[in-house]
Amino acid sequence: MSSPNSLHTSGTEHVAAGAGAVAPHAERLAALRAALAERGVEGFLVPRADEHQGEYVPASAQRLEWLTGFSGSAGMAAVLPATAAVFIDGRYTLQVRNEVDTDLFTPRHLSEEPLSDWLAETMESGQRLGYDPWLHTEDQVRRLEKTLAGFGGELVALADNPLDAVWRDRPAAPQAIIEAHDLRYAGQESAEKRETLGRGLQKDGVAAAVITLPDSIAWLLNVRGGDVERSPLPLSFAVLHADGGVEWFVEAAKLSDGLSRHLGNAVSIEQPGRLGDALDRLGRQGVKVQADPATAARWVFERLRAAGAEIVPGADPCQLPKACKNAVELAGTRAAHGRDGAALSRFLHWLDQQMAQGAVVTELAAADRLQDFRAATGELRDLSFDTIAGSGPNGAIVHYRVSEESDRTLEPGGLFLCDSGGQYPDGTTDVTRTVALGEPSQEMRQRFTLVLKGHIALGAARFPPGTSGSQLDSLARYALWQKGLDYDHGTGHGVGSYLNVHEGPQRISKLPNSVALRPGMIVSNEPGYYKTGAYGIRIENLVAVTESPRQAGEEREMLAFETLTLAPIDRRLVDPQLLTAEEADWLDRYHARVRAEIGPQLEGESKAWLEAATAPLQKG
C-alpha cells in the first residue's frame, strides 16, 4: 500500500504551543473563517487536491495539511462558522487522530460518515457553501449541488481561494525541468500515440479532448518532470486535437534543451494562462469537446459551457492505453524489479544481521538504509513514495509515515512492516514485506499465513477477459473472512511505467469498478491484517495481467497474473499447517524463482542469506 509524499507539517503543533498561546491551526482556521465572511459565504471545502486533481500535489497545493495538519494522500476538510470536520478513508483512521487537533476538526470516515450527511446535519437552509472550482471535479460538484439542494443550501464557486489569501508563507509553484522520456523506455513514439488517440476522437465526432492529468500528458508526450516528489510529473494542461496535434500549456522555461525537437511541430507550447483562451476558441467554433467529469476540474466545464462548446463527457483518452503497458515497458519493469529485488534482499539480510547482533535499529534508520541500497544500484531516480517503515503498533497504521516524533526502535518479538518502492527510468516498483523480529507469536504466524493464503489465491488466479478487479477482490480476503478478519483498504492499485505508483483506471477492491483487467496492466496484490496498538501485516507484490495459455479441454481464453516483484517472503511467519499443498508449492516455486533471478546479483553473506531465506518450506 503506497503512500505518496506530501509536505510534512507536524500534526501536533497545537500541543507544542506555549501556555496561553493560540495554536497555529486554530489561528489558521480563524483566519479562513474571516476570509469566508468577507466573501459572503458561511462555509468552504478544502480538498487534498490541486488543479490537476491528481493524487500527487506540490507543496504549494498542500492546503489541507496546512489548515488541519493531516498529511495523508486523500481527504477533505469542511469548515462552517461554528464547526469543522476532516473526512478520511479507512487507511487514515488512526493517522488522522495523531495529526489533527480534534477540538478544531471532527474526524469522520468518508464512507461511513460522508460529507453529504455532515452538511445536511450542520448547514441551515439558505446558507452558502463556497468552493474553489479548480479543486473539484465536475462529478464532485454535481453531487454537492444535489446534496445542498436537498436542504435549501447554496453551493457557490468562488473567484479566488480564500485559504490562499490567508496562507502568507505559501510555497511558490514548482518549476522543475522537463526532459524527454527515451523511446528505449517508452516503447512507442509520442506521434504514434497522439495520432492513434486522435483517430479515436475523430471516429466519435469529437474535435478535441481536454487533458488535465499530469501523468496522462507525460505518457502522451513521452516526457518526464519533477514538479512533485516521488513521481516524475510535469504539471501542465493539454488539448489533444483529432488530427493528432496538441496544444501544451506549460511554462516554456521548464523545457530542457532539445525538448521542442523531441516533441515535433505538431505540439505547440502555450503559456498555462492561455488555456481559457483555447477553450473559448473551441466554444466559438461550436465543435464537440471531450472532457473527463471524473478527473477534470469544474472550471474547465464551466469555461467550455460559457463559450458555447458542445461538451462530450468521456474518460481521459490516455488512461486506458497508458495502463496497458507495451512489450518494451513490460521488459523495463521486469528489469527494474530484478534490480529492486536485489536491493531489498540486501536490506533484509542487513536487518537480520542487525537484530541478531542486538544492534539498535530505528524505523527511520531502516528506511534510510533501504534507500541507500536502492541508490547503490546507480539507477534510482527517486523513491516511488515515502517508505512506510512501521514496527509494532506503528505497523497497524496502514499509511504510516515515520517522523522523528513517531520513530520507534525495532524490538525483538515484534513485527516490522516495510512498504517501499523506487522510481527507475525503466519502471516503478512497490513492494511490502513483513518481517519477524526474533520469535513471532503463534497469533502473528496465523494472521500472516491467512494473509499469505489470500495473496497466493489472487496471484495464482485465472479469469476470463472482461473480469474486473472488483470481481477478484474476495479471493484475497476469503481466508481472513473465514476467521472473522478483514482489512480496510483496497487489495490492488494500478502502477505506472516510471510514473505514478497509483495509476488508474483499474483496481482490485471491494468498491465497484467496471474496468476490465487487460493484458499489460500492472496491479498490486497486497492483502493485509492490522491489529490496532499491536502490529500490522501486509504482503505485496506487483503483478502484470497476461494471457494464460489455453490448456487441453478449455473452451475459453483466460487471463492470469505474472508476478513481477522478486524478494523473499518471511518463512519464519508461515504456519505450514495452514497451507494447502498447492499453496505451499506456490510459495516454494516463487522462492525458487527469487533464488534463481536475484541470487546471481548477490555475493558472499548476502547470497548465503538469500539461499536460506528462500529454501523450500518445511511441511513436517
Side-chain angles (χ1 to χ4, degrees):
M1 179 63 63
S2 307
S3 178
N5 185 61
S6 57
L7 181 68
H8 180 69
T9 304
S10 172
T12 55
E13 288 179 307
H14 60 280
V15 176
V22 179
H25 291 114
E27 290 179 342
R28 296 169 186 177
L29 183 58
L32 176 59
R33 282 177 167 143
L36 297 180
E38 291 174 1
R39 288 159 177 77
V41 295
E42 285 76 27
F44 188 65
L45 299 175
V46 184
R48 203 273 186 180
D50 67 0
E51 296 85 346
H52 305 277
Q53 305 300 317
E55 182 178 3
Y56 307 89
V57 301
S60 57
Q62 296 282 358
R63 298 176 178 88
L64 180 63
E65 184 171 2
W66 179 85
L67 180 67
T68 69
F70 175 63
S71 65
S73 62
M76 170 95 70
V79 176
L80 290 172
T83 186
V86 59
F87 298 83
I88 44 83
D89 62 38
R91 297 170 294 174
Y92 299 115
T93 52
L94 298 179
Q95 179 178 331
V96 70
R97 294 186 179 276
N98 290 336
E99 294 183 333
V100 175
D101 185 342
T102 54
D103 291 334
L104 298 175
F105 298 91
T106 302
R108 289 176 67 102
H109 193 289
L110 200 57
S111 58
E112 296 174 4
E113 305 169 298
L115 173 64
S116 57
D117 288 357
W118 186 84
L119 292 173
E121 294 163 3
T122 54
M123 285 190 70
E124 299 176 5
S125 178
Q127 284 191 317
R128 291 156 55 89
L129 179 67
Y131 74 100
D132 184 339
W134 272 111
L135 304 183
H136 301 262
T137 67
E138 173 76 357
D139 281 351
Q140 290 169 345
V141 174
R142 286 190 179 278
R143 288 193 293 268
L144 284 166
E145 289 172 336
K146 184 177 180 180
T147 294
L148 268 70
F151 59 82
E154 183 181 356
L155 189 65
V156 181
L158 299 180
D160 71 327
N161 191 309
L163 187 147
D164 293 351
V166 299
W167 188 357
R168 302 301 180 192
D169 57 349
R170 183 182 173 203
Q175 295 291 320
I177 296 298
I178 303 171
E179 298 180 336
H181 186 53
D182 197 275
L183 185 62
R184 63 185 167 132
Y185 301 129
Q188 186 181 19
E189 294 281 8
S190 170
E192 185 180 347
K193 296 177 182 179
R194 291 185 275 107
E195 290 163 6
T196 299
L197 295 188
R199 286 194 294 271
L201 296 178
Q202 222 169 31
K203 182 180 178 182
D204 294 335
V206 173
V210 182
I211 303 175
T212 62
L213 291 177
D215 60 317
S216 288
I217 297 170
W219 173 85
L220 180 65
L221 300 180
N222 283 349
V223 297
R224 297 295 186 269
D227 283 338
V228 298
E229 291 187 283
R230 309 312 193 207
S231 195
L233 299 177
L235 299 182
S236 61
F237 297 95
V239 174
L240 169 66
H241 294 270
D243 63 1
V246 166
E247 294 174 272
W248 189 19
F249 300 90
V250 63
E251 296 286 353
K254 295 167 65 172
L255 306 186
S256 62
D257 292 341
L259 190 61
S260 294
R261 291 193 302 275
H262 162 78
L263 295 168
N265 295 332
V267 178
S268 65
I269 308 301
E270 309 288 346
Q271 284 298 307
R274 297 190 63 187
L275 174 63
D277 295 338
L279 301 185
D280 293 344
R281 185 174 64 253
L282 290 169
R284 287 193 300 270
Q285 293 170 356
V287 297
K288 291 183 179 181
V289 182
Q290 182 171 319
D292 189 346
T295 63
R298 161 53 75 97
W299 184 93
V300 170
F301 285 81
E302 287 296 285
R303 190 74 179 231
L304 287 169
R305 276 192 281 263
E310 182 180 348
I311 302 175
V312 178
D316 178 327
C318 299
Q319 281 200 305
L320 191 57
K322 172 168 55 68
C324 298
K325 310 298 182 286
N326 60 47
V328 171
E329 290 173 317
L330 288 172
T333 201
R334 292 185 190 105
H337 278 86
R339 182 187 314 122
D340 196 71
L344 180 56
S345 295
R346 290 187 181 99
F347 166 75
L348 294 172
H349 169 229
W350 170 84
L351 182 60
D352 267 8
Q353 281 185 318
Q354 298 301 303
M355 298 305 296
Q357 295 167 5
V360 175
V361 179
T362 68
E363 294 167 339
L364 276 174
D368 289 345
R369 193 74 180 96
L370 177 52
Q371 184 169 354
D372 289 343
F373 281 116
R374 284 193 165 105
T377 66
E379 295 290 338
L380 184 71
R381 298 298 183 265
D382 195 356
L383 301 181
S384 56
F385 56 95
D386 284 349
T387 297
I388 299 172
S391 66
N394 287 344
I397 303 173
V398 175
H399 267 198
Y400 171 68
R401 188 174 62 193
V402 59
S403 66
E404 292 184 2
E405 294 79 17
S406 68
D407 194 20
R408 295 182 81 254
T409 298
L410 277 57
E411 299 175 353
L415 296 183
F416 176 56
L417 187 156
C418 187
D419 187 347
S420 65
Q423 290 283 12
Y424 304 96
D426 49 359
T428 300
T429 69
D430 179 7
V431 50
T432 308
R433 289 297 182 262
T434 304
V435 180
L437 305 174
E439 185 63 30
S441 69
Q442 183 54 40
E443 178 189 273
M444 292 173 179
R445 296 180 75 225
Q446 185 229 26
R447 302 294 200 261
F448 183 92
T449 308
L450 293 174
V451 171
L452 176 61
K453 287 169 74 71
H455 179 89
I456 293 172
L458 183 58
R462 298 177 76 227
F463 49 94
T467 302
S468 72
S470 300
Q471 293 171 294
L472 299 180
D473 180 78
S474 61
L475 294 176
R477 300 178 190 268
Y478 181 79
L480 287 163
W481 285 351
Q482 303 318 298
K483 299 297 181 182
L485 307 171
D486 202 358
Y487 50 94
D488 197 9
H489 60 71
T491 299
H493 56 84
V495 177
S497 179
Y498 189 39
L499 275 175
N500 293 350
V501 76
H502 286 156
E503 178 181 89
Q506 77 278 15
R507 66 172 182 265
I508 302 174
S509 170
K510 287 181 181 178
L511 297 174
N513 182 358
S514 60
V515 177
L517 296 173
R518 301 189 184 195
M521 286 182 169
I522 297 174
V523 291
S524 63
N525 171 6
E526 50 179 313
Y529 168 76
Y530 310 91
K531 186 172 184 178
T532 301
Y535 59 86
I537 295 167
R538 187 158 63 249
I539 304 171
E540 177 185 16
N541 286 342
L542 298 191
V543 298
V545 182
T546 184
E547 295 178 357
S548 180
R550 185 178 292 194
Q551 300 175 15
E554 294 186 343
E555 298 179 355
R556 298 191 179 190
E557 299 291 336
M558 301 296 285
L559 302 177
F561 291 123
E562 171 196 351
T563 298
L564 301 169
T565 305
L566 296 170
I569 294 170
D570 196 340
R571 292 159 59 256
R572 295 167 298 187
L573 283 165
V574 177
D575 183 348
Q577 303 304 316
L578 298 180
L579 296 180
T580 65
E582 292 79 9
E583 291 167 340
D585 182 60
W586 184 97
L587 184 61
D588 283 349
R589 285 186 288 107
Y590 175 71
H591 275 155
R593 184 177 161 215
V594 171
R595 200 162 54 246
E597 298 191 32
I598 301 301
Q601 301 181 62
L602 305 181
E603 297 177 346
E605 292 183 0
S606 292
K607 187 168 186 176
W609 175 89
L610 183 72
E611 292 282 342
T614 59
L617 198 63
Q618 297 297 316
K619 306 177 179 68

